Amino acid sequence: MNYKTNIPIANLTTMRLGGAAKVVLKITKPDEITKAYDFAKQHKLPTFVLGAGSNIIGRDKGFAGVILLNQLRGISVMRAAAQYLTIQVASGEMLDTVVKFTTDRGFGGMEALSAIPGTIGAAVVQNSGAYGQDISQTLQHIEAYDTKTGKIIVINKRKCNLGYRKSIFQSSRYFITSVTLRLRKTHLKPPFYTSLQAYVNAHNITDFSPTNIRRIIIKLRSDKLPDVKKEASSGSFFHNVVVSKKRAKVLKKQYPDIPIFHLNRHLEVASGWLIEQVGLRGKTLHGMYISDKSALVLINKSAKNYTNLARAREEIVEAVYAKFGLELIQEPVELT
């Protein structure tokens, strides 16, 4: 097995924070997974599956265990028809690569997920979504290594318990090996998510094909989100706040301009707007810059450790709660 010791988590994650991981094992083939878990068991070490590191935050103390670095790659067409395309994707493949693969062939269902930095496996773990689409809408089933049985099993979508940024894979039981998706020859239809609709209106766009929607989404994301290859960031740092219909009604009465969306079968308040309203957009707290392009995004400009990030987060959360009584929840997962 290809493994290294005492590797800084800062080098494996896009926020570029975190102490050393005791062991990092690269997984490039499915048959290496069993060996990796056997290694960890033999040395009595905990494990953590890591993909591109774009939604993971490292802590200063590091990780006294084994990071399984998912580098499984490949996209296979399982079935192609005039109106449908079924593909099986290795879990370490980048999500945007998969989106491009499907839109280039004229199939819809994932185009709004364009330019999200992360792997397809991580997208299933978080049920990643954007602009009204999420992974659950195209997912058929996954294959995963089950640490309880030591076997690779098939889990269909219904049993994945996909919800708003959640799934059964947020426990340490499974290592997703592949994801099977079904796409359709279909176009998104307006009205769209607010920023997408605004762009469509401003540019008089009537072509809603998957390739054109992908082009627009890439433009929108590049305008407001940092390139994690150039700037240390985890992208959107807070979930939108889920509220009840009763609470949404009260908020609308108090703050007529508050953006509340009906998405994923529930109501969400735009967290970026909340942060703007407390005057923090464009501010730097403990070395963490609250982006002037999107207040939902934190960029590590000069933070030296996790403690700096934690202090900045706490101040943002406290300011929003003091004004609105709404609690912001961090989106990136912390490696502990």
Side-chain angles (χ1 to χ4, degrees), residues 302-318:
S302 59
K304 301 301 182 183
N305 49 49
Y306 171 82
T307 301
N308 291 151
L309 170 62
R311 287 174 178 168
R313 178 190 63 214
E314 288 164 10
E315 291 182 23
I316 296 167
V317 171
E318 288 172 1

Side-chain angles (χ1 to χ4, degrees), residues 1-3 24-37 39 48-50 66-73 90-93 145 175-177:
M1 288 184 294
N2 182 1
Y3 75 92
V24 175
L25 275 168
K26 288 185 180 181
I27 306 296
T28 59
K29 297 180 293 185
D31 61 9
E32 294 175 340
I33 298 172
T34 301
K35 296 176 183 177
Y37 280 104
F39 174 92
F48 188 91
V49 179
L50 183 65
V66 180
I67 289 181
L68 307 181
L69 197 59
N70 184 359
Q71 296 188 344
L72 299 174
R73 300 285 191 269
S91 59
E93 195 69 68
Y145 178 84
F175 184 119
I176 297 174
T177 57

Side-chain angles (χ1 to χ4, degrees), residues 278-299:
V278 296
L280 292 177
R281 180 173 180 169
K283 303 291 186 180
T284 299
L285 303 175
H286 307 284
M288 301 300 302
Y289 176 66
I290 302 165
S291 176
D292 61 332
K293 296 180 180 179
S294 173
L296 194 58
V297 175
L298 300 187
I299 299 173

Side-chain angles (χ1 to χ4, degrees), residues 193 238-241 259 261 269-278 280-281 290-291 294-297 320 328:
Y193 188 91
F238 296 102
H239 293 294
N240 283 337
V241 182
F261 311 103
V269 179
S271 293
W273 184 88
L274 298 174
I275 297 169
E276 278 189 52
Q277 299 309 301
V278 296
L280 292 177
R281 180 173 180 169
I290 302 165
S291 176
S294 173
L296 194 58
V297 175
V320 168
L328 296 179

Side-chain angles (χ1 to χ4, degrees), residues 151-182:
K151 297 179 180 179
I152 290 181
I153 61 173
V154 176
I155 304 176
N156 65 36
K157 179 173 74 172
R158 182 175 58 83
K159 293 184 178 180
C160 291
N161 194 28
L162 298 170
Y164 178 59
R165 302 298 181 267
K166 71 174 185 177
S167 71
I168 63 170
F169 307 110
Q170 287 165 328
S171 74
S172 59
R173 177 173 175 175
Y174 302 104
F175 184 119
I176 297 174
T177 57
S178 71
V179 178
T180 297
L181 306 164
R182 191 182 195 218

